[in-house]
Amino acid sequence: MAIWNLGSINIDHVYRVRHLPQPGETLTADSHSMGQGGKGANQAVAAARAGANVTHLGAVGRDGLWTLERLAAAGVETGRVAVLDLPTGHANIYVDDAAENVIVILRGANWGFAIDAVAAALAEAGPGDTLLLQNETAHQVAAARLARARGMRVVYSAAPFELAAVEAILPFVTTLALNAGEAAELTRALGCPLETVPVPELLITRGAEGAELIDTATGARLAQPAFRVVPVDTTGAGDCFAGSFAATRDLGAAPAEALRFAAAAAAIQVTRPGAGDAMPARDEVLAFLAEQAGSGATDR
Ligand code: RIB
């Protein structure tokens, strides 16, 4: 099986600040760093490091060719990423002492590419493959429609959350990934409880409160507690969870095993600075899980 990841690629500018900026406030950052980000690219790296065969679809500008080298070094196939005469998408990220963040993105090349390359790539995908998406690129609905027509799974992470984008893609999604805030916003807008959101499977991440997988056909719920760690930067934790979960399922794991693996991967990822660059390798996650079992520690 394989994962086809239609996703944003951003250059992340990360500023460490003592507290997140308030309206009208000018803040001096303690440090600045630059790294590979973009919710889509982060998911691709997480999935590849988790062991899946991942092909990235999307676009960068010439200023972002180095991000493709980073993705390739993580094991992501980048040969189908378009290089455009547009700036690469970028993000300004403020991370405070509590490891929380505020992010502002500029779309750049992530919205400048044509559907043709995506359609040509998906023409090579088959039933059982996964299309992994988030809400930071053009052509999400068209790609999801093509993928479903080919019998693929469609895992959509509704981040950054936009109600209209979720409603448009929902008919073609097999797993909808949301954080707790996004889930509340969606159920409020649709006027229905989570269990009746019209999608086969819901993956809800709740940070330190863990995660949950809901099968809407049967109403079955699987809960995965979060692992206790001391976070330094939570940027990309949701991307890590979604990418690791999609990869583990793609590799044939049962849902409970995929949830546990993804929770462990995200727990490791938040202990490191950065987004895509902080995604753990499969062996690290397995060692972490073995350590948890060996120490008698329980998930939370
Ligand atoms: O989810 C974190 C990501 O959001 C960052 O890497 C940034 O690029 C934005 O897309």
Side-chain angles (χ1 to χ4, degrees), residues 8 10 12 36-39 42 90-91 93 103 105 136 235-236 239 275-276:
S8 56
N10 288 340
D12 283 357
Q36 173 266 301
K39 295 184 194 303
N42 296 343
H90 78 251
I93 304 179
I103 303 177
I105 59 170
E136 279 187 348
T235 310
D239 311 333

mmCIF file of all heavy atoms in Angstrom, residues 8 10 12 36-39 42 90-91 93 103 105 136 235-236 239 275-276, ligand 1:
data_model
loop_
_atom_site.group_PDB
_atom_site.id
_atom_site.type_symbol
_atom_site.label_atom_id
_atom_site.label_comp_id
_atom_site.label_asym_id
_atom_site.label_seq_id
_atom_site.Cartn_x
_atom_site.Cartn_y
_atom_site.Cartn_z
ATOM 1 N N SER A 8 0.564 21.007 1.898
ATOM 2 C CA SER A 8 1.337 22.250 1.908
ATOM 3 C C SER A 8 2.786 21.970 2.286
ATOM 4 O O SER A 8 3.084 21.056 3.058
ATOM 5 C CB SER A 8 0.746 23.202 2.938
ATOM 6 O OG SER A 8 0.715 22.569 4.205
ATOM 7 N N ASN A 10 5.729 24.467 3.764
ATOM 8 C CA ASN A 10 6.043 25.825 4.218
ATOM 9 C C ASN A 10 7.470 25.913 4.732
ATOM 10 O O ASN A 10 8.032 24.921 5.224
ATOM 11 C CB ASN A 10 5.124 26.244 5.381
ATOM 12 C CG ASN A 10 3.701 26.503 4.933
ATOM 13 O OD1 ASN A 10 3.438 26.732 3.759
ATOM 14 N ND2 ASN A 10 2.776 26.461 5.877
ATOM 15 N N ASP A 12 9.120 27.422 7.765
ATOM 16 C CA ASP A 12 8.700 27.913 9.088
ATOM 17 C C ASP A 12 9.763 28.839 9.682
ATOM 18 O O ASP A 12 10.938 28.459 9.794
ATOM 19 C CB ASP A 12 8.475 26.739 10.048
ATOM 20 C CG ASP A 12 7.167 26.012 9.795
ATOM 21 O OD1 ASP A 12 6.399 26.447 8.906
ATOM 22 O OD2 ASP A 12 6.912 25.007 10.483
ATOM 23 N N GLN A 36 11.702 23.196 8.149
ATOM 24 C CA GLN A 36 10.693 22.696 7.202
ATOM 25 C C GLN A 36 9.386 22.531 7.934
ATOM 26 O O GLN A 36 9.321 21.958 9.009
ATOM 27 C CB GLN A 36 11.163 21.354 6.605
ATOM 28 C CG GLN A 36 10.134 20.636 5.735
ATOM 29 C CD GLN A 36 9.320 19.627 6.535
ATOM 30 O OE1 GLN A 36 9.886 18.717 7.114
ATOM 31 N NE2 GLN A 36 8.005 19.792 6.571
ATOM 32 N N GLY A 37 8.316 23.096 7.346
ATOM 33 C CA GLY A 37 6.994 22.962 7.940
ATOM 34 C C GLY A 37 5.929 22.843 6.879
ATOM 35 O O GLY A 37 6.191 22.402 5.758
ATOM 36 N N GLY A 38 4.728 23.274 7.241
ATOM 37 C CA GLY A 38 3.566 23.055 6.374
ATOM 38 C C GLY A 38 2.866 21.815 6.898
ATOM 39 O O GLY A 38 3.505 20.770 7.070
ATOM 40 N N LYS A 39 1.573 21.969 7.174
ATOM 41 C CA LYS A 39 0.871 20.816 7.758
ATOM 42 C C LYS A 39 0.971 19.584 6.861
ATOM 43 O O LYS A 39 1.094 18.457 7.327
ATOM 44 C CB LYS A 39 -0.594 21.174 8.022
ATOM 45 C CG LYS A 39 -0.743 22.255 9.080
ATOM 46 C CD LYS A 39 -2.186 22.543 9.406
ATOM 47 C CE LYS A 39 -2.333 23.835 10.195
ATOM 48 N NZ LYS A 39 -1.568 23.884 11.435
ATOM 49 N N ASN A 42 4.567 18.190 6.951
ATOM 50 C CA ASN A 42 4.778 17.573 8.274
ATOM 51 C C ASN A 42 4.141 16.184 8.333
ATOM 52 O O ASN A 42 4.718 15.231 8.864
ATOM 53 C CB ASN A 42 4.178 18.453 9.374
ATOM 54 C CG ASN A 42 4.856 19.806 9.482
ATOM 55 O OD1 ASN A 42 5.953 19.994 8.967
ATOM 56 N ND2 ASN A 42 4.203 20.743 10.148
ATOM 57 N N HIS A 90 4.963 30.118 3.479
ATOM 58 C CA HIS A 90 5.763 30.213 4.699
ATOM 59 C C HIS A 90 4.877 30.491 5.908
ATOM 60 O O HIS A 90 3.713 30.862 5.777
ATOM 61 C CB HIS A 90 6.914 31.219 4.567
ATOM 62 C CG HIS A 90 6.537 32.655 4.696
ATOM 63 N ND1 HIS A 90 6.550 33.514 3.638
ATOM 64 C CD2 HIS A 90 6.157 33.388 5.768
ATOM 65 C CE1 HIS A 90 6.196 34.713 4.037
ATOM 66 N NE2 HIS A 90 5.943 34.674 5.332
ATOM 67 N N ALA A 91 5.447 30.259 7.070
ATOM 68 C CA ALA A 91 4.710 30.457 8.318
ATOM 69 C C ALA A 91 5.585 31.218 9.292
ATOM 70 O O ALA A 91 6.782 30.941 9.401
ATOM 71 C CB ALA A 91 4.325 29.095 8.918
ATOM 72 N N ILE A 93 5.834 31.623 13.191
ATOM 73 C CA ILE A 93 5.324 30.862 14.338
ATOM 74 C C ILE A 93 5.925 31.433 15.617
ATOM 75 O O ILE A 93 7.148 31.577 15.725
ATOM 76 C CB ILE A 93 5.704 29.371 14.209
ATOM 77 C CG1 ILE A 93 5.190 28.818 12.872
ATOM 78 C CG2 ILE A 93 5.162 28.561 15.386
ATOM 79 C CD1 ILE A 93 5.532 27.370 12.617
ATOM 80 N N ILE A 103 0.269 30.822 14.910
ATOM 81 C CA ILE A 103 0.864 30.659 13.573
ATOM 82 C C ILE A 103 0.145 31.537 12.559
ATOM 83 O O ILE A 103 -1.091 31.568 12.533
ATOM 84 C CB ILE A 103 0.752 29.179 13.112
ATOM 85 C CG1 ILE A 103 1.410 28.241 14.123
ATOM 86 C CG2 ILE A 103 1.346 28.995 11.723
ATOM 87 C CD1 ILE A 103 1.283 26.762 13.782
ATOM 88 N N ILE A 105 0.181 31.993 8.361
ATOM 89 C CA ILE A 105 0.782 31.429 7.142
ATOM 90 C C ILE A 105 0.514 32.304 5.921
ATOM 91 O O ILE A 105 -0.485 33.021 5.867
ATOM 92 C CB ILE A 105 0.276 29.990 6.843
ATOM 93 C CG1 ILE A 105 -1.254 29.952 6.677
ATOM 94 C CG2 ILE A 105 0.728 29.019 7.883
ATOM 95 C CD1 ILE A 105 -1.772 28.625 6.154
ATOM 96 N N GLU A 136 -4.516 23.133 3.648
ATOM 97 C CA GLU A 136 -3.582 24.219 3.330
ATOM 98 C C GLU A 136 -3.175 24.238 1.862
ATOM 99 O O GLU A 136 -2.195 24.887 1.505
ATOM 100 C CB GLU A 136 -2.319 24.132 4.211
ATOM 101 C CG GLU A 136 -2.490 24.719 5.592
ATOM 102 C CD GLU A 136 -1.194 24.781 6.401
ATOM 103 O OE1 GLU A 136 -0.187 24.165 6.000
ATOM 104 O OE2 GLU A 136 -1.204 25.440 7.449
ATOM 105 N N THR A 235 4.163 22.678 18.111
ATOM 106 C CA THR A 235 3.909 22.928 16.682
ATOM 107 C C THR A 235 4.019 21.623 15.892
ATOM 108 O O THR A 235 5.036 20.938 15.967
ATOM 109 C CB THR A 235 4.947 23.932 16.111
ATOM 110 O OG1 THR A 235 5.010 25.062 16.975
ATOM 111 C CG2 THR A 235 4.568 24.359 14.712
ATOM 112 N N GLY A 236 2.979 21.295 15.139
ATOM 113 C CA GLY A 236 3.030 20.108 14.290
ATOM 114 C C GLY A 236 2.638 18.822 14.999
ATOM 115 O O GLY A 236 2.674 17.744 14.390
ATOM 116 N N ASP A 239 -0.190 17.239 13.207
ATOM 117 C CA ASP A 239 0.277 16.698 11.920
ATOM 118 C C ASP A 239 0.985 15.364 12.151
ATOM 119 O O ASP A 239 0.834 14.414 11.376
ATOM 120 C CB ASP A 239 1.256 17.662 11.246
ATOM 121 C CG ASP A 239 0.730 19.094 11.196
ATOM 122 O OD1 ASP A 239 -0.501 19.267 11.186
ATOM 123 O OD2 ASP A 239 1.558 20.023 11.190
ATOM 124 N N ALA A 275 8.840 21.579 13.599
ATOM 125 C CA ALA A 275 7.645 20.858 13.137
ATOM 126 C C ALA A 275 8.083 19.592 12.383
ATOM 127 O O ALA A 275 8.304 18.545 12.991
ATOM 128 C CB ALA A 275 6.797 21.775 12.285
ATOM 129 N N GLY A 276 8.252 19.705 11.065
ATOM 130 C CA GLY A 276 8.642 18.536 10.276
ATOM 131 C C GLY A 276 9.962 17.937 10.736
ATOM 132 O O GLY A 276 10.132 16.713 10.781
HETATM 133 O O1 RIB B 1 0.833 22.439 12.079
HETATM 134 C C1 RIB B 1 2.027 23.173 12.103
HETATM 135 C C2 RIB B 1 2.275 23.806 10.777
HETATM 136 O O2 RIB B 1 1.269 24.756 10.497
HETATM 137 C C3 RIB B 1 3.572 24.575 10.671
HETATM 138 O O3 RIB B 1 4.638 23.777 10.267
HETATM 139 C C4 RIB B 1 3.236 25.713 9.719
HETATM 140 O O4 RIB B 1 3.950 25.689 8.536
HETATM 141 C C5 RIB B 1 1.730 25.629 9.493
HETATM 142 O O5 RIB B 1 1.406 25.062 8.292
#
